[in-house]
Amino acid sequence: MPKRIAIFASGSGSNAENIITYFADNKGFEFPVIVCNNENAFVHTRARRLGVRSVTFKFQQNADWDMPLKLLLSEHIDYVILAGFLLKIPKIILNHFPDRIINIHPALLPKFGGKGMYGDRVHRAVCAAGEAESGITIHYVTDNYDEGDIVFQAKCAVLPTDTPEDIAQKVHALEYEWFPKIIEKIWG
Ligand code: GAR
């Protein structure tokens, strides 16, 4: 039976697209749905192009997670991937998917993680701190931001002349290379 994976994304969705494309010919994984918290996010356009269902929910209070949970259960989802999803995952979801939710963070945790540290904000902070390296962290999700056990990290050099955009580009390249491979490794 193929493993059924739901992808949660909030913005552009380039990782979601990269993962779905990577597994297009792989009978071991199916991606029946993308869950989003923003109806205007570009990930919906990518989903349409890929022929994948994408659904927007409002997630303002705990009860707002009932509908997405129902969707995950009715779609027989085995695993959840956070690919640029910016909200905290509540216990009601974690309890249904123990050790079955992973996140990608665009830096080397535990550095540059926590609430408010996402996307370009992370790259600006890395640049401002004068770091000599950055990278990606793939980790299990808990109900604290960026704190679950680390599955994998990959590094890239940060040059003194690098702008946050340069760092973002290097980090995205690592994400595209490694995120699908790590999914295959741990759940394949
Ligand atoms: C990615 O770089 C991902 O690591 C980051 O958001 C970006 C989403 O890009 N996630 C976080 O910052 C989570 N704290 P994408 O929408 O193009 O995949």
Side-chain angles (χ1 to χ4, degrees):
M1 286 281 278
K3 318 271 170 48
R4 289 172 68 79
I5 300 185
I7 300 180
F8 283 33
S10 296
S12 165
S14 68
N15 275 283
E17 177 168 358
N18 179 58
I19 290 165
I20 291 167
T21 307
Y22 178 93
F23 288 109
D25 297 324
N26 183 328
K27 300 281 176 280
F29 292 94
E30 288 175 353
F31 298 87
V33 67
I34 295 174
V35 171
C36 187
N37 59 317
N38 174 6
E39 64 184 357
N40 298 317
F42 190 65
V43 69
H44 295 294
T45 304
R46 295 188 195 266
R48 260 195 308 280
R49 285 187 201 145
L50 292 162
V52 174
R53 180 180 177 199
S54 66
V55 186
T56 302
F57 294 99
K58 66 170 182 133
F59 294 96
Q60 275 144 11
Q61 37 195 330
N62 266 352
D64 293 338
W65 286 87
D66 292 348
M67 292 299 287
L69 176 59
K70 270 194 190 127
L71 173 68
L72 298 181
L73 298 178
S74 70
E75 285 285 358
H76 304 289
I77 294 299
D78 299 302
Y79 299 101
V80 174
I81 292 169
L82 310 186
F85 187 70
L86 304 184
L87 306 179
K88 217 179 197 181
I89 303 298
K91 284 217 165 67
I92 184 178
I93 302 287
L94 293 169
N95 291 342
H96 274 87
F97 297 92
D99 296 327
R100 285 166 174 252
I101 308 180
I102 56 171
N103 176 46
I104 190 159
H105 186 78
L108 298 170
L109 292 175
K111 282 183 158 185
F112 304 104
K115 190 170 163 56
M117 280 303 234
Y118 56 82
D120 292 340
R121 291 183 182 199
V122 176
H123 307 307
R124 284 200 293 271
V126 167
C127 193
E131 295 287 305
E133 60 183 17
S134 190
I136 60 168
T137 303
I138 297 171
H139 65 93
Y140 287 103
V141 172
T142 68
D143 56 353
N144 286 321
Y145 277 113
D146 302 328
E147 282 190 9
D149 287 349
I150 291 175
V151 181
F152 176 81
Q153 290 187 308
K155 293 178 180 175
C156 58
V158 175
L159 307 176
T161 50
D162 276 350
T163 62
E165 291 72 27
D166 295 327
I167 301 170
Q169 209 169 24
K170 293 179 190 181
V171 167
H172 272 306
L174 289 176
E175 293 181 331
Y176 302 151
E177 180 182 357
W178 288 107
F179 206 4
K181 288 183 187 157
I182 297 302
I183 292 163
E184 203 165 26
K185 186 169 166 216
I186 63 173
W187 293 334

